[in-house]
Amino acid sequence: MIPRSYLAAVAALALVVALGSGPAHAENGQRPPVKVDPSIASDWLLQLSPGSGAVADYRKPHQARNGVVYSSGDPGFPITMDPRASGVLLAAPPQPRPARAAELPPPPAPKASRAPAQAQVREAALAPTQPAKKGRGIDPAFLPQTIDYQGGEAPGTIIIDTEAKYLYHVLEDGKARRYGVGVGKPGFEWAGTHKVSAKREWPDWRPPAQMIAREKKKGRILPAMMKGGENNPLGARAMYLGSTLYRIHGTNQPWTIGKAMSSGCIRMRNEDVTELYSTVDVGTKVIVR
């Protein structure tokens, strides 16, 4: 004896096949909705497997807002079971015609980039830097100048006026190149005549023992040696004076030019000492007044 549930399943399957192959009766291309007996529809649909072939490309159910949706894989012919309905409604809602290329809306205009243009980047890079903080600028009077000079010293001689805080490099034809300098603070002044005994580019700094001890009392520990570089107190160039501990050198504190703040050495801006260094030979006479 054939089970009643088997006969019901065969009948439902025949109905679905007939529905898929029958002609459409609606003018708009929709297939007419068909009610399936709720006593068999739910059990039968749930027993279908994706590969049964009863419904093309049938997939497992997934949740939807109004109930459980059983999709055939064809967006034009979904199978929907609404728990509020008395049965299962099979329908093929009309699908919009794909728009032609001429009907497509124009693409949105690209948003303006917030990144600055390349020219603006270059201008920003070439823009002057911010002015020095208050108390850290250099008086323009201490910038290099070529001046008339009638001191009587031979061309090539270096004269340092510690009171006016100027260094003069005597040139030919009654001229001199004048630079602003930093000099020894009170208690560290000195005067004398020496010769340039050595020249060094980006020199290492070895603070003397007296300086190390003096700074230690202030709570500042100095290294025994610091390699040359931008942070080195001797700056870009150094010209050593005789056998003394004094030098004409650059500085990592250019705002001290024109002031008495050193331990006796003659400080210059790095760009200025580099210029002077290129025109001075070992053996050059240096007069400190």
Side-chain angles (χ1 to χ4, degrees):
M1 182 176 178
I2 300 173
R4 181 178 178 182
S5 60
Y6 175 78
L7 292 175
V10 171
L13 176 60
L15 178 60
V16 173
V17 174
L19 178 61
S21 60
H25 298 288
E27 295 180 358
N28 61 2
Q30 292 188 9
R31 295 184 177 89
V34 176
K35 287 287 188 68
V36 179
D37 187 344
S39 65
I40 65 170
S42 178
D43 291 340
W44 178 76
L45 286 174
L46 290 174
Q47 292 176 24
L48 287 177
S49 65
S52 66
V55 177
D57 299 324
Y58 172 77
R59 293 199 305 267
K60 291 183 179 181
H62 62 274
Q63 295 295 324
R65 180 176 298 176
N66 296 324
V68 181
V69 176
Y70 299 87
S71 174
S72 68
D74 179 1
F77 187 60
I79 303 173
T80 305
M81 182 177 73
D82 190 338
R84 298 173 300 179
S86 59
V88 177
L89 180 64
L90 287 82
Q95 297 297 310
R97 177 177 60 83
R100 296 178 181 176
E103 300 173 356
L104 294 174
K111 294 182 179 180
S113 173
R114 295 185 179 181
Q118 187 174 1
Q120 293 174 314
V121 173
R122 286 199 301 270
E123 289 177 7
L126 296 176
T129 56
Q130 294 295 323
K133 295 180 180 179
K134 185 176 181 181
R136 295 254 170 147
I138 298 176
D139 188 327
F142 294 108
L143 296 179
Q145 299 182 46
T146 300
I147 63 169
D148 293 328
Y149 184 80
Q150 302 297 329
E153 295 85 1
T157 304
I158 294 174
I159 299 99
I160 299 168
D161 185 337
T162 57
E163 184 176 352
K165 300 173 181 64
Y166 284 127
L167 179 151
Y168 300 88
H169 185 209
V170 181
L171 307 177
E172 301 282 353
D173 301 324
K175 298 289 184 180
R177 186 70 167 161
R178 188 184 75 183
Y179 304 90
V181 295
V183 299
K185 57 191 172 183
F188 291 85
E189 307 97 329
W190 65 279
T193 300
H194 297 281
K195 290 184 178 181
V196 173
S197 56
K199 297 170 61 180
R200 298 286 185 273
E201 297 186 6
W202 295 105
D204 297 338
W205 180 46
R206 292 176 175 82
Q210 300 93 322
M211 179 182 291
I212 292 176
R214 185 171 62 248
E215 294 300 319
K216 185 176 181 181
K217 291 179 181 179
K218 300 176 184 178
R220 182 186 176 201
I221 305 301
L222 296 182
M225 191 275 286
M226 178 184 289
K227 295 291 291 181
E230 292 182 356
N231 295 323
N232 191 301
L234 298 185
R237 303 288 187 271
M239 290 163 277
Y240 295 77
L241 303 180
S243 60
T244 72
L245 297 176
Y246 301 126
R247 315 165 187 87
I248 300 170
H249 63 78
T251 181
N252 61 350
Q253 298 176 320
W255 57 87
T256 64
I257 301 304
K259 298 179 175 62
M261 296 182 65
S262 79
S263 295
C265 285
I266 308 302
R267 297 181 182 180
M268 302 179 71
R269 295 192 313 163
N270 280 338
E271 50 267 54
D272 297 345
V273 76
T274 299
E275 177 182 293
L276 179 64
Y277 184 97
S278 67
T279 60
V280 169
D281 297 324
V282 171
T284 295
K285 185 178 181 180
V286 179
I287 303 172
V288 179
R289 297 173 176 166

